[in-house]
Short mmCIF file of all heavy atoms in Angstrom, two decimals:
data_model
loop_
_atom_site.label_atom_id
_atom_site.label_comp_id
_atom_site.label_asym_id
_atom_site.label_seq_id
_atom_site.Cartn_x
_atom_site.Cartn_y
_atom_site.Cartn_z
N VAL A 1 90.56 93.40 115.94
CA VAL A 1 91.31 94.62 115.63
C VAL A 1 92.79 94.30 115.65
O VAL A 1 93.29 93.64 116.56
CB VAL A 1 90.99 95.74 116.65
CG1 VAL A 1 91.93 96.92 116.49
CG2 VAL A 1 89.54 96.20 116.50
N LEU A 2 93.51 94.79 114.63
CA LEU A 2 94.95 94.59 114.51
C LEU A 2 95.63 95.97 114.53
O LEU A 2 95.32 96.83 113.71
CB LEU A 2 95.28 93.87 113.21
CG LEU A 2 96.73 93.48 112.94
CD1 LEU A 2 97.27 92.58 114.05
CD2 LEU A 2 96.86 92.80 111.59
N LEU A 3 96.54 96.17 115.49
CA LEU A 3 97.24 97.44 115.67
C LEU A 3 98.72 97.21 115.41
O LEU A 3 99.33 96.33 116.02
CB LEU A 3 97.03 97.97 117.09
CG LEU A 3 95.56 98.12 117.53
CD1 LEU A 3 95.48 98.45 119.01
CD2 LEU A 3 94.84 99.17 116.70
N MET A 4 99.31 98.02 114.50
CA MET A 4 100.68 97.79 114.08
C MET A 4 101.46 99.11 114.12
O MET A 4 101.06 100.09 113.48
CB MET A 4 100.72 97.20 112.67
CG MET A 4 99.78 96.00 112.49
SD MET A 4 99.91 95.23 110.87
CE MET A 4 101.39 94.25 111.14
N ASP A 5 102.55 99.11 114.87
CA ASP A 5 103.37 100.31 115.03
C ASP A 5 104.71 100.10 114.34
O ASP A 5 105.60 99.45 114.88
CB ASP A 5 103.57 100.62 116.51
CG ASP A 5 104.15 102.02 116.74
OD1 ASP A 5 104.52 102.69 115.75
OD2 ASP A 5 104.21 102.44 117.91
N GLU A 6 104.86 100.61 113.11
CA GLU A 6 106.09 100.49 112.33
C GLU A 6 106.62 99.05 112.31
O GLU A 6 107.78 98.80 112.63
CB GLU A 6 107.17 101.43 112.89
CG GLU A 6 106.95 102.89 112.55
CD GLU A 6 107.36 103.25 111.13
OE1 GLU A 6 107.92 102.39 110.42
OE2 GLU A 6 107.09 104.38 110.72
N PRO A 7 105.78 98.07 111.95
CA PRO A 7 106.24 96.68 112.05
C PRO A 7 107.39 96.35 111.11
O PRO A 7 108.11 95.38 111.34
CB PRO A 7 104.99 95.88 111.68
CG PRO A 7 104.19 96.80 110.81
CD PRO A 7 104.43 98.16 111.40
N PHE A 8 107.59 97.16 110.04
CA PHE A 8 108.65 96.87 109.08
C PHE A 8 109.72 97.97 109.08
O PHE A 8 110.52 98.05 108.15
CB PHE A 8 108.07 96.72 107.67
CG PHE A 8 106.87 95.81 107.61
CD1 PHE A 8 105.71 96.19 106.96
CD2 PHE A 8 106.90 94.56 108.23
CE1 PHE A 8 104.61 95.36 106.93
CE2 PHE A 8 105.80 93.72 108.20
CZ PHE A 8 104.65 94.12 107.54
N GLY A 9 109.72 98.80 110.12
CA GLY A 9 110.62 99.94 110.15
C GLY A 9 112.09 99.59 110.17
O GLY A 9 112.92 100.38 109.72
N ALA A 10 112.43 98.40 110.68
CA ALA A 10 113.84 98.02 110.78
C ALA A 10 114.33 97.25 109.55
O ALA A 10 115.49 96.86 109.49
CB ALA A 10 114.06 97.16 112.03
N LEU A 11 113.44 97.05 108.56
CA LEU A 11 113.81 96.26 107.39
C LEU A 11 114.30 97.16 106.26
O LEU A 11 113.93 98.32 106.17
CB LEU A 11 112.60 95.45 106.91
CG LEU A 11 111.91 94.56 107.95
CD1 LEU A 11 110.76 93.80 107.32
CD2 LEU A 11 112.91 93.59 108.59
N ASP A 12 115.13 96.59 105.37
CA ASP A 12 115.58 97.37 104.21
C ASP A 12 114.41 97.55 103.24
O ASP A 12 113.39 96.88 103.32
CB ASP A 12 116.76 96.68 103.52
CG ASP A 12 116.41 95.31 102.94
OD1 ASP A 12 115.61 95.25 101.98
OD2 ASP A 12 116.94 94.29 103.44
N GLN A 13 114.58 98.47 102.28
CA GLN A 13 113.49 98.86 101.41
C GLN A 13 112.94 97.70 100.58
O GLN A 13 111.73 97.56 100.40
CB GLN A 13 113.94 99.99 100.47
CG GLN A 13 112.86 100.53 99.53
CD GLN A 13 111.70 101.16 100.27
OE1 GLN A 13 111.85 101.66 101.39
NE2 GLN A 13 110.52 101.15 99.67
N ILE A 14 113.82 96.86 100.07
CA ILE A 14 113.37 95.73 99.24
C ILE A 14 112.53 94.76 100.07
O ILE A 14 111.44 94.35 99.65
CB ILE A 14 114.58 95.00 98.62
CG1 ILE A 14 115.31 95.94 97.64
CG2 ILE A 14 114.14 93.72 97.92
CD1 ILE A 14 116.61 95.36 97.10
N LEU A 15 113.02 94.42 101.26
CA LEU A 15 112.29 93.49 102.12
C LEU A 15 111.00 94.13 102.63
O LEU A 15 109.97 93.47 102.74
CB LEU A 15 113.17 93.06 103.29
CG LEU A 15 112.62 92.00 104.23
CD1 LEU A 15 112.15 90.78 103.46
CD2 LEU A 15 113.66 91.62 105.26
N ARG A 16 111.07 95.43 102.92
CA ARG A 16 109.89 96.13 103.41
C ARG A 16 108.76 96.08 102.37
O ARG A 16 107.61 95.84 102.71
CB ARG A 16 110.25 97.58 103.73
CG ARG A 16 109.12 98.39 104.35
CD ARG A 16 109.61 99.73 104.84
NE ARG A 16 108.58 100.44 105.56
CZ ARG A 16 108.81 101.26 106.56
NH1 ARG A 16 110.03 101.48 106.97
NH2 ARG A 16 107.81 101.89 107.15
N ARG A 17 109.11 96.31 101.11
CA ARG A 17 108.09 96.27 100.06
C ARG A 17 107.51 94.87 99.93
O ARG A 17 106.30 94.70 99.74
CB ARG A 17 108.69 96.75 98.74
CG ARG A 17 107.66 96.89 97.64
CD ARG A 17 108.06 97.93 96.63
NE ARG A 17 108.05 99.27 97.18
CZ ARG A 17 108.30 100.39 96.47
NH1 ARG A 17 108.60 100.29 95.19
NH2 ARG A 17 108.26 101.57 97.04
N SER A 18 108.35 93.87 100.03
CA SER A 18 107.88 92.49 99.99
C SER A 18 106.91 92.22 101.14
O SER A 18 105.87 91.57 100.95
CB SER A 18 109.06 91.53 100.05
OG SER A 18 108.63 90.20 100.16
N MET A 19 107.24 92.75 102.32
CA MET A 19 106.37 92.54 103.48
C MET A 19 105.06 93.32 103.34
O MET A 19 104.01 92.89 103.85
CB MET A 19 107.10 92.94 104.76
CG MET A 19 108.22 91.99 105.16
SD MET A 19 107.67 90.28 105.39
CE MET A 19 106.49 90.47 106.71
N ASN A 20 105.08 94.47 102.65
CA ASN A 20 103.84 95.19 102.37
C ASN A 20 102.88 94.32 101.57
O ASN A 20 101.68 94.26 101.85
CB ASN A 20 104.13 96.47 101.58
CG ASN A 20 104.83 97.55 102.38
OD1 ASN A 20 105.35 98.50 101.79
ND2 ASN A 20 104.89 97.42 103.69
N ILE A 21 103.43 93.65 100.55
CA ILE A 21 102.62 92.77 99.71
C ILE A 21 102.08 91.60 100.54
O ILE A 21 100.90 91.22 100.42
CB ILE A 21 103.44 92.28 98.51
CG1 ILE A 21 103.82 93.47 97.62
CG2 ILE A 21 102.67 91.23 97.71
CD1 ILE A 21 104.92 93.17 96.63
N GLU A 22 102.92 91.05 101.42
CA GLU A 22 102.50 89.95 102.27
C GLU A 22 101.41 90.39 103.24
O GLU A 22 100.43 89.67 103.46
CB GLU A 22 103.70 89.40 103.05
CG GLU A 22 104.66 88.57 102.22
CD GLU A 22 104.00 87.32 101.68
OE1 GLU A 22 103.43 86.54 102.46
OE2 GLU A 22 104.02 87.14 100.45
N LEU A 23 101.58 91.59 103.83
CA LEU A 23 100.59 92.07 104.80
C LEU A 23 99.24 92.29 104.13
O LEU A 23 98.19 91.98 104.70
CB LEU A 23 101.08 93.35 105.47
CG LEU A 23 100.12 93.96 106.49
CD1 LEU A 23 99.76 92.97 107.60
CD2 LEU A 23 100.71 95.23 107.10
N GLN A 24 99.26 92.83 102.90
CA GLN A 24 98.00 93.01 102.18
C GLN A 24 97.30 91.65 101.99
O GLN A 24 96.10 91.51 102.23
CB GLN A 24 98.23 93.65 100.82
CG GLN A 24 96.93 93.77 100.03
CD GLN A 24 97.13 94.17 98.58
OE1 GLN A 24 96.45 95.06 98.08
NE2 GLN A 24 98.06 93.52 97.90
N ARG A 25 98.06 90.64 101.59
CA ARG A 25 97.49 89.31 101.38
C ARG A 25 96.90 88.76 102.67
O ARG A 25 95.78 88.23 102.68
CB ARG A 25 98.57 88.37 100.83
CG ARG A 25 98.09 86.95 100.58
CD ARG A 25 99.21 86.07 100.07
NE ARG A 25 100.31 85.94 101.01
CZ ARG A 25 100.31 85.12 102.05
NH1 ARG A 25 99.26 84.34 102.28
NH2 ARG A 25 101.35 85.07 102.86
N ILE A 26 97.64 88.91 103.77
CA ILE A 26 97.18 88.40 105.07
C ILE A 26 95.92 89.15 105.51
O ILE A 26 94.95 88.55 105.98
CB ILE A 26 98.31 88.54 106.11
CG1 ILE A 26 99.45 87.58 105.77
CG2 ILE A 26 97.78 88.28 107.53
CD1 ILE A 26 100.73 87.86 106.53
N TRP A 27 95.92 90.48 105.32
CA TRP A 27 94.76 91.27 105.73
C TRP A 27 93.53 90.89 104.91
O TRP A 27 92.41 90.80 105.44
CB TRP A 27 95.05 92.76 105.58
CG TRP A 27 93.86 93.62 105.89
CD1 TRP A 27 93.40 93.96 107.13
CD2 TRP A 27 92.95 94.20 104.95
NE1 TRP A 27 92.26 94.73 107.01
CE2 TRP A 27 91.97 94.90 105.69
CE3 TRP A 27 92.89 94.21 103.56
CZ2 TRP A 27 90.93 95.59 105.08
CZ3 TRP A 27 91.85 94.91 102.95
CH2 TRP A 27 90.88 95.59 103.71
N MET A 28 93.71 90.63 103.62
CA MET A 28 92.57 90.26 102.78
C MET A 28 92.01 88.90 103.17
O MET A 28 90.82 88.63 102.97
CB MET A 28 92.97 90.30 101.30
CG MET A 28 93.21 91.72 100.80
SD MET A 28 93.56 91.83 99.02
CE MET A 28 91.94 91.48 98.35
N GLU A 29 92.84 88.04 103.75
CA GLU A 29 92.36 86.76 104.28
C GLU A 29 91.61 86.95 105.59
O GLU A 29 90.59 86.30 105.84
CB GLU A 29 93.55 85.83 104.53
CG GLU A 29 94.24 85.32 103.27
CD GLU A 29 93.66 83.99 102.79
OE1 GLU A 29 92.67 83.54 103.38
OE2 GLU A 29 94.19 83.45 101.82
N ASN A 30 92.10 87.88 106.42
CA ASN A 30 91.62 88.01 107.80
C ASN A 30 90.55 89.09 107.97
O ASN A 30 89.58 88.90 108.69
CB ASN A 30 92.83 88.29 108.71
CG ASN A 30 92.45 88.46 110.15
OD1 ASN A 30 92.18 89.57 110.59
ND2 ASN A 30 92.43 87.37 110.90
N ARG A 31 90.78 90.24 107.33
CA ARG A 31 89.87 91.39 107.36
C ARG A 31 89.63 91.95 108.76
O ARG A 31 88.58 92.52 109.05
CB ARG A 31 88.52 91.05 106.73
CG ARG A 31 88.61 90.75 105.24
CD ARG A 31 88.85 92.00 104.41
NE ARG A 31 88.89 91.68 102.99
CZ ARG A 31 88.93 92.56 102.00
NH1 ARG A 31 88.95 93.84 102.30
NH2 ARG A 31 88.98 92.18 100.75
N ALA A 32 90.61 91.80 109.65
CA ALA A 32 90.52 92.48 110.94
C ALA A 32 90.60 93.98 110.71
O ALA A 32 91.29 94.45 109.79
CB ALA A 32 91.65 92.03 111.86
N THR A 33 89.89 94.75 111.51
CA THR A 33 90.01 96.20 111.46
C THR A 33 91.45 96.56 111.82
O THR A 33 91.91 96.23 112.91
CB THR A 33 89.03 96.85 112.45
OG1 THR A 33 87.72 96.33 112.21
CG2 THR A 33 89.03 98.37 112.31
N THR A 34 92.15 97.23 110.91
CA THR A 34 93.60 97.41 111.08
C THR A 34 93.97 98.88 111.11
O THR A 34 93.49 99.68 110.31
CB THR A 34 94.36 96.70 109.94
OG1 THR A 34 94.06 95.29 110.00
CG2 THR A 34 95.86 96.89 110.08
N LEU A 35 94.85 99.21 112.05
CA LEU A 35 95.42 100.55 112.17
C LEU A 35 96.93 100.41 112.13
O LEU A 35 97.51 99.73 112.98
CB LEU A 35 94.97 101.22 113.47
CG LEU A 35 95.17 102.73 113.58
CD1 LEU A 35 94.31 103.46 112.58
CD2 LEU A 35 94.83 103.20 114.99
N LEU A 36 97.57 101.03 111.14
CA LEU A 36 99.02 100.93 110.93
C LEU A 36 99.67 102.29 111.12
O LEU A 36 99.29 103.26 110.47
CB LEU A 36 99.29 100.42 109.51
CG LEU A 36 100.75 100.48 109.02
CD1 LEU A 36 101.60 99.40 109.69
CD2 LEU A 36 100.82 100.33 107.49
N VAL A 37 100.65 102.36 112.00
CA VAL A 37 101.50 103.55 112.14
C VAL A 37 102.72 103.37 111.26
O VAL A 37 103.39 102.33 111.33
CB VAL A 37 101.93 103.76 113.61
CG1 VAL A 37 103.03 104.82 113.71
CG2 VAL A 37 100.73 104.16 114.46
N THR A 38 103.00 104.34 110.41
CA THR A 38 104.14 104.24 109.51
C THR A 38 104.70 105.62 109.21
O THR A 38 104.00 106.63 109.33
CB THR A 38 103.74 103.55 108.18
OG1 THR A 38 104.87 103.49 107.32
CG2 THR A 38 102.61 104.29 107.48
N HIS A 39 105.99 105.66 108.81
CA HIS A 39 106.60 106.89 108.31
C HIS A 39 106.66 106.89 106.79
O HIS A 39 107.08 107.88 106.18
CB HIS A 39 108.02 107.05 108.88
CG HIS A 39 108.05 107.55 110.29
ND1 HIS A 39 108.22 106.72 111.37
CD2 HIS A 39 107.91 108.80 110.80
CE1 HIS A 39 108.21 107.44 112.48
NE2 HIS A 39 108.02 108.70 112.17
N GLY A 40 106.26 105.77 106.16
CA GLY A 40 106.38 105.65 104.72
C GLY A 40 105.09 106.00 104.00
O GLY A 40 104.08 105.31 104.16
N ILE A 41 105.10 107.08 103.21
CA ILE A 41 103.89 107.46 102.46
C ILE A 41 103.52 106.35 101.48
O ILE A 41 102.35 106.00 101.34
CB ILE A 41 104.11 108.79 101.71
CG1 ILE A 41 104.39 109.93 102.69
CG2 ILE A 41 102.88 109.13 100.86
CD1 ILE A 41 104.70 111.26 102.03
N ASP A 42 104.51 105.78 100.79
CA ASP A 42 104.21 104.72 99.81
C ASP A 42 103.61 103.50 100.50
O ASP A 42 102.68 102.87 99.97
CB ASP A 42 105.46 104.36 99.00
CG ASP A 42 106.62 103.88 99.86
OD1 ASP A 42 106.62 104.14 101.09
OD2 ASP A 42 107.55 103.24 99.30
N GLU A 43 104.12 103.16 101.67
CA GLU A 43 103.58 102.02 102.43
C GLU A 43 102.13 102.27 102.82
O GLU A 43 101.27 101.39 102.69
CB GLU A 43 104.44 101.79 103.67
CG GLU A 43 104.01 100.61 104.53
CD GLU A 43 105.04 100.28 105.60
OE1 GLU A 43 105.04 100.95 106.65
OE2 GLU A 43 105.85 99.36 105.36
N ALA A 44 101.85 103.49 103.29
CA ALA A 44 100.49 103.85 103.69
C ALA A 44 99.54 103.78 102.51
O ALA A 44 98.43 103.23 102.60
CB ALA A 44 100.49 105.25 104.31
N LEU A 45 99.96 104.32 101.36
CA LEU A 45 99.11 104.33 100.17
C LEU A 45 98.84 102.92 99.65
O LEU A 45 97.74 102.62 99.20
CB LEU A 45 99.78 105.15 99.05
CG LEU A 45 99.67 106.66 99.14
CD1 LEU A 45 100.45 107.31 98.00
CD2 LEU A 45 98.23 107.10 99.08
#
């Protein structure tokens, strides 16, 4: 299980989006059950 509380909250929008793409790639490799807390609707979607 992977629990993440606003892990990219301190990053600017461009870097945050890049990290969203990276996190998806990492999750698809690992497939741990993941729960992400975020304030970003686009990030959540």
Side-chain angles (χ1 to χ4, degrees):
V1 170
L2 184 59
L3 306 171
M4 310 185 80
D5 193 353
E6 285 282 354
F8 312 131
L11 307 181
D12 63 67
Q13 182 63 27
I14 295 174
L15 185 53
R16 184 171 186 148
R17 186 152 293 184
S18 174
M19 289 302 299
N20 290 165
I21 296 164
E22 286 296 306
L23 179 57
Q24 177 190 227
R25 179 181 62 81
I26 292 166
W27 176 79
M28 290 185 72
E29 290 268 5
N30 179 270
R31 295 287 182 172
T33 308
T34 299
L35 195 66
L36 170 74
V37 168
T38 179
H39 282 99
I41 298 177
D42 59 341
E43 182 169 82
L45 281 177

